[in-house]
Amino acid sequence: MSAPLPRRIWSWFAQTRVGRSVFRVGPPQSNLERSQAMVSSFLLHVQPAKVSRHALRASYSLGLGLISLYLFFILIVTGVLLMFYYVPSTLQAYDRMKDLQFVISAGLVVRNMHRWAAHLMVLFVMMHLCRVFYTGAYKQPREFNWVLGVGLFLMTLGLSFTGYLLPWDQLAFWAITVGTNIAGYAPVIGPKLKFLLLGGNEVGQEALTRFYALHVIVLPALAGLMVAVHLWRVRKDGGLSRPDLPEDSVQSLPLSQLPTNKSYGLMELARGTTPQVGRDPDDEIFSWPHLIFRELLLFMLVVAVVLFLAIFWNAPLEELANTVHPPNPAKAPWYFLGLQELVSYSAFWGGVVVPALLVTALVLLPYIDRKRQGVGRWFARERAVANTIFSVCLVTAIALTVIGTVFRGPNWSWVVPWQTPPAITEGH
Amino acid sequence: MNRSPPNANGVSRRGFFQLSIGWLAASFAAAATAVATVRFLVPNVVFEPDQRFKAGAPDDYPDGSVTFLEDERVFVVRRGNSFRCVSAVCTHLGCTVNRAGQGYHCPCHGSAFSEEGRVESGPAPRPLAWFLVTLSKDNRLLVDKGQIVGADKYLVL
Amino acid sequence: MSDGSVRSFYGWFTTLGLLVGVLVGLGYYRDEYRPWKDYQRRFIREEIRRATTPDQRVLAQNTAVQVRQILLPDLNRVDRCTTCHLAVEDPSYGGYPQPLAYHPLHDQHPFDKFGCTVCHRGQGRATTAADAHGAVAHWDEPMLPLKYIQASCGQCHDASDNPAAPELERGEQLFETTGCRGCHRLGGVGGNIGPELDRVGARRSPDWLRQHFLAPAAVTPGSGMPPQKFAEADIEAIVLFMLSQTGANLPGFYASMKVIPSASEGQRLFQQKGCIGCHSVGGQGGKVGPALDDVGLRRTPEWMMQHFRDPQTVSPGSVMPRFGFTEAEARALTDFLLRLRDQKLALSIPALMGPVDRGREIYRKYGCSGCHGPEGKGGVPNPNAKTAEQVPGLTYVADGYTKPELKKLILRGQREIVPLDPRRPAPPLYMPAWGSTIKDAEIDDLVAYLFSLKPKGEDLGF
């Protein structure tokens, strides 16, 4: 029997006049066509025609960066849909959230998808950062891409934080009150920064308008741009990082000395651990279909998981925001709870110094750690020191977040979650 | 590995079957998602005053009267025991018409309408709409601006 | 394809494809199937069954299945209750099981102007029964049990005079006579020992309020409020009155409802406008105009209304001036005069009362009896207070104080109460400073009243 039906349909369409005007390359039958399918496509050409076998290993990258990207796409699509109904007014926002739940077709599922994809994206971006660290993939020549990645991580947190306020319920209002107060602790610029963020001195309509603008256009546009550069750099830095092979003895060559008068084409630029002209072709395989198919599968998996969560678990919506009645305790979004825990010890050291140091350390990391060993392998022994330091910080961050989530109760007191809390004497 | 030999494209029978089911399911999912997205964008409720409204009890309108309801922009006309409801929105460009003698007159561009709403002069292209009037269950006049009826449809009590 | 690396993933592809397909289908199905659609179809079937003419049948068959809502922009609400409660305006559905039952008594409060939740509470924007009825997490306003529905009348109307809400009236009377104001401020008047009650109806559930009256310390640890001894019917009434205090600030059209003419409004106007200057009631007052005790028997309400508008038109040669009353004021005064006929209302006109009688009114008005007992008899517990662990009675206050001293005490209050045992917690009840609430002239009358409490003829012979 011949090819499957969808393939046959597409083959037929691709050789009609209309088809040929849209898809300049039909279904690839030869290696040349497989290369052309990648290179001549707008959407696909950021990926190379051939990739190293190593890059396709799921156990290496775990697809975390791709998953983050897919979650971003899902967020954009569901976010745009939500924009058709949401109104960024303190008088209407909450009611619109209720309308999504009750009278808008598929409203609840779309909103839930948006919320769960957002939480997952923060989580997976963090995991992606950890993966890149543990495989030493931030080292030369990928330093700048790592910096871009840290920037993207901050964008993700910013997007999540600005979006958190929009439902205008108790959860949203007080989480952002806590979060902006933490921002206000920064020395010198803190109060001004808080004033700028809130468009005033308190969380109100101005804050809602600003957060909405940031959330739907400013941060997504910036993040999108940075994602584009980030993917572009992946390509230009030689694809995903791979372990050095013994045959790798090629030094970095300045562009002007390359043995070819073409600077681009179906060949990759040679540099270090990247696919090289003249290398054994069995080390690379064609992106079409090997990479593309895996990417499609991963996309379907991500969509399935987000859909599953959205159908069976509702995103939270508490009471309408009440500016005089904070919940006890008032907690920041989960990714800031470690921070809030630190702040409960010291506003300055916990809320300003530690995060600033962490971000600075992350940004400067590839310029500090210049040893070239241990790239392309998980937990390489040559990098034991770096890995240990990172792991300690990671575990601490997780522990602080868990404490802030589970072990802190009213008045930020210590509670043991499996025991009944004592009755709170509420003031009148 | 399955037993059947791969065909010219390297696809086995089992692989073919799996691919087809997979593509079918994915296509269904994509199509259903597209339908759901469109359905999502179609409003189920509108935040506008209801097209159907109550115009008070029949006896609120004296015999032979023409009453203008400002909020709804309609005239309620009673002749004997028959009621009708005429739109006060000029069919030219939407201004509110005024009573003029037995008929109506639009102050914006001078369209004149007869007592039944027919265009007598002026730029209006169509006669004034008549709306469906029924009696509600609690004996009030029920006007439905979403239902335009012919210019001879009265509610007769 | 030169190797099997992609082929090995076909199984994954199938599974994931099916999974996504199933999930999308499931999501869409769950969204399309809504319980309210069932109710609407049931209603349509019933309408078709009851149709007596082909026209009606066609009308019923063409009824769309859709969300129905009442838009209330002035109240910033949307009520979707009519999505399931489809027959609220149709009297022929009286006695049907909910949600298809008829809703009586809506003539004065048409649904398109008032909606549902403004009286019944609940979550108007919801379209499922549980969420709409509001007894769910994260919704502060569950539906009022029907027995408390008159509480909602109090949001717009005066509680003190509403014949259609007798429970509310009773609750308000209880509130005033039991002396709750002695500790609790309501409408700006009252003591500050307990919390203000202006929004208590929005913050507390009926059950909480009940329990609070019966055993305050059980629901509010550390409360100094003594348990209230109410009869069962009275508890319901006062809970209802508490529920009516929601602090709702209703705009424009709805606020005008406060001016609904009521007899007590009429009494207030009667006193304010000085009618007693020319007319007499109960033998007291002026002699220029006729006595008004039985005017309700002699004149119709329409005559009285016209008389208020312009006395000359119905009573030529009358010297009564045109006061320029609004229609609402005229209605209120008419209601009041009619009430005189029905109940022989005891008219307390301050100008004609002596200081002691006025003082008694003031004692009642500010809720002194809540702590000092009715007529100053005492008996209200104040744990650990040196004064026999009770708030002192006032019967013999004339023996312990001069008038200026008593006046000063009332004005300044007494925050620190001497405890019986310093090791126990301080007494919860104290004397608030009334200087900012009670007007100066009232204090003198109050003092006169308190001095009159001592039984006559008792001479302690000290």
Side-chain angles (χ1 to χ4, degrees):
Chain A
M1 100 197 45
S2 59
L5 185 60
R7 157 70 64 91
R8 296 223 305 272
I9 293 178
W10 188 28
S11 299
W12 164 82
F13 177 69
Q15 37 94 9
T16 59
R17 184 125 176 259
V18 174
R20 269 182 289 135
S21 75
V22 178
F23 303 108
R24 292 179 297 140
V25 180
Q29 306 285 357
S30 70
N31 281 347
L32 178 65
E33 286 181 357
R34 289 192 187 98
S35 303
Q36 284 178 326
M38 299 297 299
V39 171
S40 59
S41 156
F42 171 74
L43 293 174
L44 296 176
H45 82 285
V46 70
Q47 292 174 126
K50 291 177 97 172
V51 289
S52 147
R53 231 174 248 285
H54 185 268
L56 293 183
R57 292 231 307 262
S59 58
Y60 177 68
S61 67
L62 301 173
L64 295 171
L66 268 181
I67 293 178
S68 306
L69 183 66
Y70 293 149
L71 289 169
F72 191 47
F73 287 154
I74 292 176
L75 283 167
I76 290 178
V77 170
T78 51
V80 167
L81 286 177
L82 289 170
M83 281 176 75
F84 275 82
Y85 288 108
Y86 176 78
V87 176
S89 149
T90 56
L91 299 171
Q92 294 192 57
Y94 184 75
D95 286 335
R96 292 307 177 119
M97 303 303 294
K98 290 283 181 181
D99 283 349
L100 276 170
Q101 181 181 355
F102 291 116
V103 294
I104 295 170
S105 297
L108 190 58
V109 169
V110 172
R111 190 224 162 182
N112 288 345
M113 281 180 75
H114 196 76
R115 184 79 168 216
W116 299 136
H119 284 313
L120 285 176
M121 184 173 172
V122 175
L123 184 65
F124 274 86
V125 164
M126 289 181 177
M127 284 164 57
H128 177 60
L129 184 151
C130 295
R131 190 286 286 171
V132 173
F133 183 91
Y134 282 127
T135 53
Y138 56 85
K139 295 182 193 266
Q140 195 193 22
R142 298 181 175 83
E143 306 99 319
F144 183 62
N145 210 15
W146 166 268
V147 173
L148 276 176
V150 173
L152 276 170
F153 172 54
L154 296 175
M155 290 282 134
T156 308
L157 288 181
L159 276 165
S160 191
F161 188 64
T162 49
Y164 213 81
L165 179 66
L166 301 184
W168 203 253
D169 66 344
Q170 282 286 69
L171 186 67
F173 182 85
W174 291 103
I176 266 53
T177 302
V178 168
T180 48
N181 281 340
I182 294 178
Y185 287 135
V188 181
I189 60 163
K192 290 202 181 61
L193 180 63
K194 182 176 161 191
F195 187 76
L196 186 65
L197 266 178
L198 295 181
N201 295 309
E202 36 183 54
V203 180
Q205 178 61 60
E206 290 308 306
L208 187 58
T209 310
R210 288 187 177 220
F211 273 49
Y212 184 69
L214 283 171
H215 186 75
V216 305
I217 190 65
V218 175
L219 290 175
L222 272 177
L225 195 61
M226 286 171 79
V227 164
V229 180
H230 191 69
L231 293 178
W232 174 253
R233 283 303 305 241
V234 168
R235 171 77 184 278
K236 287 305 170 190
D237 292 339
L240 292 191
S241 56
R242 289 153 53 240
D244 282 343
L245 296 180
E247 305 89 73
D248 274 344
S249 57
V250 178
Q251 315 293 330
S252 308
L253 281 179
L255 258 166
S256 53
Q257 290 180 23
L258 280 180
T260 168
N261 55 4
K262 279 193 196 167
S263 61
Y264 61 87
L266 291 181
M267 301 160 287
E268 295 81 27
L269 289 175
R271 211 200 280 191
T273 58
T274 68
Q276 298 177 33
V277 178
R279 288 280 298 273
D280 188 348
D282 282 338
D283 281 308
E284 306 115 47
I285 52 178
F286 282 99
S287 300
W288 187 292
H290 298 97
L291 178 64
I292 298 298
F293 196 64
R294 284 172 172 76
E295 287 177 338
L296 175 67
L297 284 184
L298 190 59
F299 179 67
M300 290 166 78
L301 179 64
V302 170
V303 169
V305 168
V306 173
L307 252 186
F308 180 77
L309 292 173
I311 289 177
F312 292 104
W313 284 276
N314 286 342
L317 188 67
E318 298 188 354
E319 298 88 344
L320 176 66
N322 185 343
T323 56
V324 298
H325 240 208
N328 195 356
K331 290 196 175 177
W334 66 268
Y335 39 87
F336 283 153
L337 272 176
L339 211 58
Q340 194 176 357
E341 174 67 20
L342 278 179
V343 167
S344 75
Y345 305 135
S346 158
F348 178 67
W349 292 100
V352 179
V353 173
V354 168
L357 280 181
L358 276 177
V359 172
T360 315
L362 279 176
V363 168
L364 292 180
L365 168 71
Y367 303 101
I368 298 176
D369 179 5
R370 281 176 298 210
K371 292 199 287 231
R372 302 283 317 267
Q373 295 94 321
V375 180
R377 279 174 294 133
W378 279 83
F379 306 118
R381 206 165 283 149
E382 301 93 312
R383 300 183 55 239
V385 173
N387 285 342
T388 314
I389 298 177
F390 185 82
S391 303
V392 166
C393 292
L394 182 65
V395 167
T396 313
I398 293 177
L400 285 172
T401 307
V402 168
I403 291 176
T405 315
V406 163
F407 289 97
R408 288 295 186 189
N411 303 323
W412 209 253
S413 59
W414 185 265
V415 297
V416 181
W418 49 87
Q419 294 172 2
T420 17
I424 314 158
T425 310
E426 233 178 276
H428 286 290
Chain B
M1 259 315 186
N2 60 77
R3 300 270 159 72
S4 48
N7 65 0
N9 279 335
V11 184
S12 65
R13 189 178 295 140
R14 186 170 113 186
F16 169 74
F17 187 63
Q18 284 173 333
L19 263 189
S20 299
I21 298 276
W23 277 114
L24 218 59
S27 312
F28 165 74
T33 306
V35 169
T37 304
V38 172
R39 189 67 192 85
F40 174 89
L41 293 170
V42 175
N44 290 320
V45 294
V46 291
F47 294 98
E48 300 158 2
D50 206 349
Q51 295 271 62
R52 292 164 38 122
F53 65 92
K54 295 222 186 109
D59 286 333
D60 290 348
Y61 300 94
D63 191 356
S65 65
V66 176
T67 316
F68 177 59
L69 300 181
E70 183 172 347
D71 290 329
E72 289 85 1
R73 295 176 81 192
V74 294
F75 290 97
V76 177
V77 182
R78 175 177 182 173
R79 299 269 182 270
N81 264 342
S82 74
F83 294 82
R84 67 170 189 268
C85 185
V86 182
S87 167
V89 178
C90 181
T91 52
H92 178 227
L93 289 177
C95 293
T96 307
V97 304
N98 302 318
R99 279 285 287 163
Q102 288 293 91
Y104 310 95
H105 180 266
C106 180
C108 291
H109 304 98
S111 300
F113 301 89
S114 73
E115 199 180 341
E116 278 78 36
R118 268 179 302 108
V119 181
E120 286 175 344
S121 68
R126 291 184 312 277
L128 292 175
W130 283 40
F131 296 129
L132 178 67
V133 187
T134 50
L135 197 64
S136 78
K137 293 291 173 39
D138 49 347
N139 286 314
R140 300 278 184 277
L141 292 175
L142 191 61
V143 178
D144 189 348
K145 295 207 288 189
Q147 301 214 44
I148 299 181
V149 296
D152 54 351
K153 211 48 191 299
Y154 297 82
L155 171 71
V156 182
L157 294 180
Chain C
M1 286 168 266
S2 45
D3 66 318
S5 78
V6 170
R7 243 180 288 151
S8 57
F9 283 114
Y10 287 173
W12 275 103
F13 183 64
T14 318
T15 318
L16 284 174
L18 284 172
L19 189 60
V20 175
V22 163
L23 283 173
V24 171
L26 182 65
Y28 197 61
Y29 167 74
R30 257 189 32 163
D31 192 77
E32 280 300 297
Y33 168 72
R34 308 264 186 155
W36 57 261
K37 295 189 181 180
D38 277 343
Y39 289 122
Q40 290 206 355
R41 290 192 190 107
R42 224 202 292 170
F43 176 69
I44 291 175
R45 281 197 298 273
E46 183 65 13
E47 286 281 278
I48 293 175
R49 191 186 68 81
R50 285 151 51 111
T52 45
T53 69
D55 267 350
Q56 284 179 355
R57 175 179 243 103
V58 166
L59 212 62
Q61 278 166 339
N62 290 340
T63 316
V65 173
Q66 63 186 21
V67 173
R68 291 158 197 238
Q69 64 182 23
I70 302 174
L71 260 188
L72 301 160
D74 288 332
L75 296 173
N76 199 21
R77 283 171 197 251
V78 172
D79 283 346
R80 300 187 171 125
C81 320
T82 44
T83 303
C84 290
H85 293 274
L86 295 144
V88 281
E89 291 175 332
D90 189 344
S92 68
Y93 275 87
Y96 270 65
Q98 295 287 15
L100 292 182
Y102 168 64
H103 183 300
L105 303 173
H106 62 91
D107 278 349
Q108 302 280 12
H109 304 88
F111 295 124
D112 55 353
K113 266 248 134 16
F114 287 83
C116 319
T117 58
V118 90
C119 293
H120 288 279
R121 309 196 190 174
Q123 188 176 187
R125 279 186 120 98
T127 52
T128 55
D131 290 294
H133 298 170
V136 291
H138 302 307
W139 187 257
D140 284 334
E141 257 198 1
M143 263 179 74
L144 266 186
L146 211 51
K147 60 179 171 172
Y148 296 121
I149 194 65
Q150 290 180 22
S152 298
C153 309
Q155 286 181 116
C156 289
H157 298 284
D158 248 334
S160 56
D161 199 357
N162 193 334
E167 280 287 292
L168 181 65
E169 227 183 86
R170 173 120 187 79
E172 197 246 2
Q173 274 172 5
L174 279 167
F175 181 81
E176 298 294 349
T177 53
T178 317
C180 312
R181 275 191 205 275
C183 291
H184 293 280
R185 197 175 280 236
L186 182 64
V189 177
N192 58 359
I193 303 179
E196 282 187 11
L197 297 177
D198 293 271
R199 295 206 61 241
V200 70
R203 293 195 304 126
R204 301 294 189 189
S205 71
D207 286 336
W208 188 96
L209 288 166
R210 257 189 85 90
Q211 285 174 25
H212 192 81
F213 281 119
L214 295 173
V219 290
T220 311
S223 166
M225 172 165 160
Q228 302 297 314
K229 300 175 188 42
F230 284 122
E232 177 61 29
D234 288 349
I235 292 217
E236 296 284 76
I238 196 151
V239 164
L240 195 148
F241 178 68
M242 287 290 98
L243 287 169
S244 73
Q245 305 303 311
T246 56
N249 212 351
L250 298 170
F253 164 75
Y254 304 95
S256 68
M257 288 302 115
K258 272 229 176 313
V259 190
I260 257 239
S262 61
S264 59
E265 174 79 6
Q267 173 168 0
R268 195 189 59 78
L269 279 166
F270 190 86
Q271 288 164 196
Q272 185 187 52
K273 302 289 181 185
C275 312
I276 206 72
C278 289
H279 295 274
S280 67
V281 177
Q284 294 192 345
K287 304 276 191 293
V288 179
L292 297 177
D293 300 79
D294 57 351
V295 68
L297 293 169
R298 295 186 286 115
R299 301 292 188 188
T300 64
E302 290 75 29
W303 187 97
M304 284 197 260
M305 286 290 291
Q306 188 52 37
H307 192 259
F308 281 123
R309 286 185 203 114
D310 189 347
Q312 290 290 326
T313 54
V314 289
S315 195
S318 164
V319 302
M320 173 158 159
R322 281 187 70 191
F323 279 85
F325 293 122
T326 66
E327 283 297 294
E329 286 174 335
R331 283 279 300 282
L333 284 163
T334 308
D335 274 359
F336 167 66
L337 292 176
L338 290 172
R339 279 292 195 92
L340 280 180
R341 170 193 78 190
D342 291 335
Q343 292 173 18
K344 306 270 187 322
L345 208 67
L347 200 64
S348 19
I349 303 168
L352 298 177
M353 286 160 60
V356 170
D357 292 322
R358 284 202 299 270
R360 184 180 299 114
E361 269 308 297
I362 292 160
Y363 185 85
R364 184 199 66 82
K365 174 175 167 187
Y366 290 102
C368 311
S369 60
C371 283
H372 292 287
E375 292 166 20
K377 290 204 170 46
V380 174
N382 195 11
N384 199 26
K386 198 135 193 230
T387 48
E389 303 214 56
Q390 282 186 359
V391 179
L394 302 173
T395 324
Y396 293 99
V397 73
D399 286 339
Y401 296 85
T402 64
K403 281 197 179 174
E405 283 173 345
L406 188 58
K407 180 167 173 179
K408 198 154 94 174
L409 180 60
I410 298 172
L411 285 173
R412 301 261 184 86
Q414 186 176 336
R415 188 66 186 78
E416 299 297 323
I417 304 293
V418 183
L420 189 59
D421 179 355
R423 290 168 302 179
R424 285 167 60 194
L429 300 176
Y430 58 88
M431 175 72 173
W434 290 95
S436 53
T437 319
I438 304 186
K439 305 184 199 29
D440 207 57
E442 290 180 314
I443 300 258
D444 293 323
D445 291 337
L446 183 60
V447 166
Y449 167 69
L450 292 174
F451 264 58
S452 77
L453 288 176
K454 185 167 125 181
K456 302 280 187 295
E458 265 193 34
D459 195 342
L460 297 177
F462 286 133

